Amino acid sequence: VKDRTTLDDFDEVQYKRLYSGYVGEKQFYERIKNCGGTKLWDLRLEYQGEVQYDFLVIHDGYLFHFDIKNFAGLYAFIDNNFVSEQNYVIKDPISQFKGAHIKLKQFCTKHNLNYKILSYVVFINPDFIVTGFNGHSHIIFHKDIDRIVNVLIKPPNDVDIRALTTLSKFHKKDSKHERIYYYPFQDMKKGIKCPSCKNILRSFQNKERRIICECGRRVSKQEAVHIAFDTIALLKQSHVKTSEIVDFTGIGKTTIKKIMSKNYASIGKTCGKAYIASEHASFILKEKHDEYTYKIVWVND
């Protein structure tokens, strides 16, 4: 929705918070992705309340939990809180990660995952500066990340992969604490977003086979159709018409129909034909006048 319509105040704040968090996590991911160990990014468990883990890494008998914080600026350490010059408060991160640590330990014990668990808060931003803080053995700053990288040297093994696969099966996709408001689709700015930089791309022109974003990312017609389908289905919360994909991409109807017929299920006929996702999902269809409603039932792999 961002850059397609005006967000309300609540969503604007949520967007900034979530995007900042994602940027920090992506930076951490880029630092550790080529290291050893088995890694899991973003796990949410329902265990004595809801708890979320940014990164879990198994390596050499240890299960590391890294909670990533992406804050910048000058902060002071006051009564276990980090307080910025603008009086923004990061509330007692030490106590917060202790609670998540205890729940992870209990969860692993319950499911016979026998690892020594170590939890750390990682302040990833190099521009995060704290005064009055004497350090903590489980709080890491940007300058300390090389220590993590240098420790993770052993390649993944089947036992550790199975352990994190077990954890991932309990992942709770949606949070009961998140509010999702669906803005009117007709008010949205059309166009697909670049998979890399998330800027809205221009439409395909004439016989172009691909377009190149300002960031250098190349997007083929086939990829553009898939991105458009996912985007429209999410924004509408409904089926997708060929004409809508044309509006979002500039690609001709014939090309779109070829791609859609090979990859998606269709409903309706001729002029009323529309598409819905088919992979790993079963659909309950109900005709109502000239419109179709459907329920997606996700099937576990």
Side-chain angles (χ1 to χ4, degrees):
V1 175
K2 181 67 176 174
D3 300 325
R4 297 186 187 278
T5 190
T6 302
L7 300 179
D8 65 23
D9 291 344
F10 179 86
D11 280 346
E12 188 66 45
V13 171
Q14 286 291 88
Y15 170 79
K16 290 178 180 177
R17 180 183 65 83
L18 291 171
Y19 184 73
S20 175
Y22 169 75
V23 169
E25 290 174 22
K26 185 70 161 51
Q27 289 175 2
F28 186 77
Y29 166 74
E30 292 295 336
R31 294 293 300 276
I32 70 166
K33 68 179 181 180
N34 295 320
C35 299
T38 307
K39 310 168 188 75
L40 186 63
W41 181 1
D42 190 19
L43 175 72
R44 182 186 290 114
L45 298 177
E46 185 66 48
Y47 188 74
Q48 299 178 11
E50 191 175 286
V51 58
Q52 190 265 344
Y53 299 93
D54 292 339
F55 285 91
L56 298 178
V57 180
I58 295 180
H59 181 270
D60 198 22
Y62 288 86
L63 172 56
F64 297 96
H65 159 221
F66 298 107
D67 183 26
I68 311 301
K69 306 289 187 185
N70 186 20
F71 296 98
L74 181 63
Y75 283 72
F77 188 64
I78 303 172
D79 296 330
N80 293 325
N81 301 315
F82 294 98
V83 183
S84 75
E85 291 180 302
Q86 293 76 33
N87 291 321
Y88 179 84
V89 179
I90 305 172
K91 294 182 180 179
D92 198 353
I94 298 171
S95 293
Q96 287 185 32
F97 92 78
K98 280 184 178 178
H101 173 85
I102 291 170
K103 288 185 179 182
L104 182 60
K105 192 172 182 178
Q106 292 172 341
F107 188 91
C108 288
T109 299
K110 180 179 179 180
H111 294 280
N112 299 313
L113 302 176
N114 299 314
Y115 294 95
K116 184 174 181 179
I117 299 172
L118 295 174
S119 295
Y120 298 91
V121 175
V122 181
F123 287 98
I124 191 75
N125 199 313
D127 296 324
F128 180 74
I129 301 170
V130 183
T131 62
F133 181 61
N134 294 323
H136 188 280
S137 59
H138 292 276
I139 289 183
I140 295 173
F141 296 91
H142 182 270
K143 62 182 176 60
D144 303 314
I145 295 177
D146 284 343
R147 289 165 42 205
I148 300 172
V149 172
N150 293 334
V151 165
L152 302 176
I153 56 175
K154 293 188 176 180
N157 61 62
D158 291 342
V159 173
D160 293 345
I161 291 172
R162 284 197 296 271
L164 283 189
T165 301
T166 297
L167 277 163
S168 70
K169 288 179 180 178
F170 290 91
H171 175 64
K172 188 172 182 287
K173 183 180 179 182
D174 298 314
S175 171
K176 61 186 176 183
H177 302 300
E178 291 178 354
R179 184 210 77 163
I180 299 179
Y181 172 70
Y182 291 96
Y183 295 79
F185 177 70
Q186 64 271 18
D187 296 342
M188 298 288 176
K189 180 179 180 180
K190 297 179 175 63
I192 62 171
K193 290 188 176 183
C194 171
S196 297
C197 70
K198 307 306 179 186
N199 286 326
I200 294 179
L201 297 170
R202 65 171 178 82
S203 295
F204 281 77
Q205 302 294 324
N206 300 322
K207 295 184 179 181
E208 280 185 313
R209 299 177 63 181
R210 63 183 60 83
I211 52 179
I212 304 175
C213 180
E214 291 180 356
C215 73
R217 178 68 151 82
R218 295 171 178 263
V219 178
S220 67
K221 283 186 175 180
Q222 181 162 311
E223 184 180 14
V225 170
H226 290 309
I227 294 171
F229 174 85
D230 290 343
T231 300
I232 296 165
L234 183 62
L235 294 175
K236 282 181 66 180
Q237 288 292 289
S238 184
H239 54 251
V240 178
K241 297 178 181 179
T242 302
S243 59
E244 292 167 336
I245 297 179
V246 172
D247 290 341
F248 268 65
T249 63
I251 298 172
K253 286 187 177 181
T254 301
T255 300
I256 291 171
K257 287 179 178 179
K258 285 181 180 178
I259 296 171
M260 298 304 293
S261 62
K262 290 180 180 179
N263 297 280
Y264 300 89
S266 62
I267 57 175
K269 296 180 180 180
T270 60
C271 293
K273 193 172 186 178
Y275 296 92
I276 54 179
S278 58
E279 187 178 4
H280 303 307
S282 59
F283 296 87
I284 301 168
L285 304 179
K286 181 180 179 182
E287 187 172 0
K288 184 177 180 182
H289 304 296
D290 294 328
E291 296 293 327
Y292 289 83
T293 59
Y294 62 94
K295 176 182 179 183
I296 301 177
V297 183
W298 293 106
V299 181
N300 292 328
D301 292 335

